[in-house]
Amino acid sequence: MDRGKLRRSKAWTLGIGVILSTVLGAFFYFRTDLNTAIATFAGLSGTTITLQVESLLREREEQEHVTRQQRMFEQMEAIAWMPGLLDHAIGAYTFVEKVYGETMAVDLARKAFEDCRIRLEELQRGHYVTPDADESPNSPVHALTEQLRESLLATSSGDDIAWWLSPSLSRNYWRLNVEALKRGVTIKRIFIYRDWTGPLDVVAMAQHQAGVQVLRVPEHQLPPILRLNMVIWDERCGLEPRHNAAGEWIASSFTFAARDLALLIDRFRLIESFAERWPVP
């Protein structure tokens, strides 16, 4: 509520108090029955106290509302890109509501905001899930690899090995790996294989010659829970794929949470303990 309304609320309460005080004074002046006077006084006092308490509660709510708005504005202004983004987003929603107010478009616009809130709350917990493939421009995989500074730990099994064997899919990601190696980044990759084929041998050799620490382990030597693909960037972000009941990839799950990262790193180290360096020294 704005300040004008707040002033009017206070004036209204003050006016009621003055009127009740005047009525009470006039009543006592003309009334000589003490019991009736005391009862009337008690009733009017209770009414006055109730109005004052209600006024105080309303004023407190209004102050909290104003404080909340001020805090929101301060938080938005503290993020350089936020005001412009929100201005455009709210403008778009207002347009949808005005032009398509009688259609489902308004519900869809609100859902867009709700989806954004849900995604941000997931990130607040350190999680980000996307249905975009790793090679998609919308996936963080390439951006995270471009930003590598220290280390990359990864395992490849099943469909991921087939992905490495298709240069049209893996070319850009491998280029980013090579650039990271030139920056001094340590890359360690474990191939979890069923059959060590000639094409896989060529891929592994190319990575070894580029500077990747290549390891390998037969799939049957690992318990099913460790036959997985993962990527860990600088021990700050980790990736695990999500699969449906049929084993088909459905999404990529990224985590920034320290506890989840610690579990991923422990899994990687456990898989590494089963693996051998390649080529074999």
Side-chain angles (χ1 to χ4, degrees):
M1 184 178 291
D2 58 30
R3 294 181 178 179
K5 291 183 179 180
L6 185 60
R7 285 194 295 268
R8 287 195 294 273
S9 177
K10 291 181 177 179
W12 176 252
T13 303
L14 178 61
I16 292 177
V18 171
I19 293 172
L20 288 175
S21 298
T22 303
V23 172
L24 186 62
F27 181 84
F28 284 161
Y29 181 79
F30 293 105
R31 188 74 178 183
T32 57
D33 187 346
L34 183 60
N35 290 333
T36 303
I38 292 176
T40 304
F41 174 75
L44 291 173
S45 297
T47 302
T48 303
I49 292 172
T50 300
L51 289 170
Q52 289 177 338
V53 171
E54 182 182 358
S55 176
L56 289 173
L57 290 175
R58 186 184 301 111
E59 182 178 351
R60 180 178 177 181
E61 290 177 356
E62 293 164 351
Q63 289 176 344
E64 289 178 350
H65 180 69
V66 171
T67 301
R68 184 168 61 252
Q69 285 184 329
Q70 183 178 0
R71 184 171 63 251
M72 289 175 60
F73 283 127
E74 289 175 352
Q75 290 175 338
M76 287 188 292
E77 293 294 336
I79 304 173
W81 51 265
M82 183 68 73
L85 178 63
L86 282 179
D87 185 49
H88 284 86
I90 294 173
Y93 180 86
T94 303
F95 180 87
V96 170
E97 192 174 48
K98 180 179 179 180
V99 178
Y100 308 110
E102 301 300 324
T103 70
M104 189 182 287
V106 176
D107 296 331
L108 293 174
R110 177 171 179 172
K111 185 178 183 301
F113 275 97
E114 290 290 341
D115 290 343
C116 178
R117 177 187 60 81
I118 292 171
R119 179 62 60 87
L120 289 173
E121 288 177 348
E122 289 176 351
L123 281 169
Q124 187 178 21
R125 295 189 294 270
H127 300 148
Y128 178 78
V129 179
T130 174
D132 295 310
D134 294 346
E135 60 271 15
S136 168
N138 294 325
S139 172
V141 168
H142 286 185
L144 286 165
T145 309
E146 288 177 332
Q147 298 167 11
L148 272 172
R149 292 295 177 266
E150 297 176 2
S151 66
L152 185 146
L153 305 176
T155 63
S156 295
S157 67
D159 292 342
D160 197 57
I161 288 180
W163 182 84
W164 276 112
L165 297 177
S166 176
S168 62
L169 296 176
S170 59
R171 183 181 296 111
N172 287 334
Y173 179 66
W174 172 238
R175 174 181 57 81
L176 295 174
N177 277 234
V178 173
E179 292 175 357
L181 289 166
K182 292 178 180 178
R183 295 195 301 271
V185 174
T186 298
I187 298 179
K188 184 177 292 187
R189 179 167 288 112
I190 304 174
F191 289 101
I192 304 171
Y193 65 95
R194 292 182 181 177
D195 299 302
W196 191 261
T197 64
L200 179 55
D201 191 83
V202 171
V203 169
M205 178 59 73
Q207 295 200 15
H208 169 73
Q209 292 176 343
V212 176
Q213 297 179 25
V214 178
L215 298 93
R216 67 177 185 175
V217 56
E219 184 180 279
H220 65 83
Q221 290 186 8
L222 295 175
I225 195 173
L226 294 180
R227 300 171 188 174
L228 49 83
N229 299 312
M230 71 171 74
V231 185
I232 304 170
W233 292 270
D234 288 331
E235 298 189 6
R236 294 183 178 181
C237 178
L239 162 66
E240 280 188 295
R242 288 187 177 182
H243 300 87
N244 59 21
E248 299 170 332
W249 177 91
I250 56 174
S252 293
S253 177
F254 296 83
T255 181
F256 301 87
R259 179 179 297 180
D260 294 336
L261 282 171
L263 290 174
L264 275 180
I265 293 171
D266 287 345
R267 288 182 187 177
F268 181 88
R269 299 304 182 196
L270 187 55
I271 295 170
E272 185 180 14
S273 68
F274 286 91
E276 64 175 355
R277 294 291 299 268
W278 190 93
V280 180

